[in-house]
Amino acid sequence: MAAADEEDEVSKMVAPSAAAAVPEPIRGHLIGRQGTWQLHIDAAALRFVRQPPAASKESAKDDNESFVCSFDDTVGVGFISDGGCRSRYLCAFRYVRRPAAAPGRPSGPRQRSLVLFRIVQPADPPGVALVGRLCSQAVARSMGREPGPPGKRPLLVLLNPRSGQGRADKLFRETAAPLLEEAGLAHRLVRTESAGHATRLLRDSPAEELLSYSGLVIVSGDGLLYEALNGLAGRPDCLQLLRRLPFGVLPAGGGNAVAASLAHANGDCLDRDFAVTAAFNLAKARPRPVDLALVEAASGASYLACLSVNYGLLAQVDLESERYRFLGGARFALAFGIRLAAPGGLRVYRARLSYLPAEVAEAKDAETADVSNENGDGNNRKPLASLKRHLPASLSDPLPSNAGWVTEEVDYLLVLASLHSHLATDNFYAPPCRPDDGRIYVTWVAAGVSKVDLLRMFLSVGDGGHFRAPAFCCAAARAFRLEPLDDGGPVCIDGETAPCEAMQVELLPRLGLALTPARIGITN
């Protein structure tokens, strides 16, 4: 029987008058360890202390042995079946970090490690049930949740069955779904049927229906999150929904940049398969603000970006890697190598790049802190555009003069603006970037760099070493404008292809909500 169902059933056995009484002492057997143990429940952990043998009067060292089940590693507590009889086996669903591979290295990904305790005292079923409920309430409070029946507001899970070489469904069914159940988190699963399905679903569903969910979970790569956010962005009430419907990501695609960036901010190990860690983080999550960006194109189209805006060489590599999707994350390295080894020189792209340094924008924002451009009226046809503070209304308007903008017109190999630290699990592209630091990191490499130097940069991107390369330029900005001066050129927004045309981008600080652990290293 599911742990959540068992807990709900046993809680019905507790008399109302018993809820205020803490059964003391709580004794039993800690499975896998010898002797009788006493359980103490506090705000941070379940603490087990081994009791000395009744016949012994000595206080030997082993008799004082203790074991701590920290709530930092625990997603839930429940009873497991006991041969069809009323269970006395209390189970803490724990996911501990593996030890670091070497001194000074981050700890490894999380792995499941159950704590099983057979309750002997109290002996009566209501008392046993009360112990289980008290443990569950303590775990819930440690995560900032109100204790109570699980699954009041389910998660809406959008899963792309074609993602991850077709492994997304199995990944969710075998890894994430059981963990969410252990945490008492109900969910509704929707498998996307075609490109744009998520956009249509979130654009056309009634607001009341969307707000009946506690959050939106994406089981795919970054493309499905981009679809979902732009579905919300196409609604007149998008501001309210973006601020009230948090999103989480379970990595099941090729790059998994957003999931990797959120996990990195939490200090997690990013091995090739950190799905268990990501699911654990989702179960422990609370909504936390993150930055998004509004992209406006010369054609009048607009997009909501949560990851990157990419022009030139790396956009070309991203698009060409689609044919190697069966290789998973390795497809990017292969496409880059093929592009670099191609005969002839690398194509250069003539463009005008203008950006507003973040420090300048922050100073201006401080001067006008009491002035807001926001119009939260649901009748506003372009609610996201109403949040702009530094860009003109359209690309046909000039940038503000004497406002601190920096402009240069050169031949570029690539221009890439990132809202997150990672562009893939193994691509630590913007090391200083935090998910809510109010900055978009505009990077570029100008023409004239040799293929050897480009290769060196690419080989060092895993640990952020490319950031120190002389040819790699970066500016922390609040807004930028990119005007291609050549015909054509590859453009990607959050990894999805877009027309090559002039565009302007402004960061919208802390507009979105991400489901991340309460102790994540995001600024407050």
Side-chain angles (χ1 to χ4, degrees), residues 192-209:
T192 58
E193 299 173 356
S194 61
H197 183 181
T199 298
R200 295 187 297 272
L201 176 66
L202 292 168
R203 183 191 62 208
D204 301 336
S205 296
E208 296 78 10
E209 178 183 341

Side-chain angles (χ1 to χ4, degrees), residues 96-102 104-110 266-271 277:
V96 297
R97 295 181 189 269
R98 296 176 189 170
R105 299 289 298 276
S107 56
R110 291 188 179 272
N266 194 45
D268 293 315
C269 173
L270 299 179
D271 63 353
T277 300

Side-chain angles (χ1 to χ4, degrees), residues 378-413:
N379 295 321
N380 187 353
R381 297 182 61 186
K382 294 186 177 181
L384 290 174
S386 71
L387 300 180
K388 292 192 301 183
R389 299 175 64 93
H390 302 287
L391 283 174
S394 72
L395 280 146
S396 60
D397 299 322
L399 293 171
S401 59
N402 302 321
W405 284 79
V406 178
T407 300
E408 61 176 53
E409 183 178 319
V410 298
D411 292 330
Y412 295 98
L413 286 176

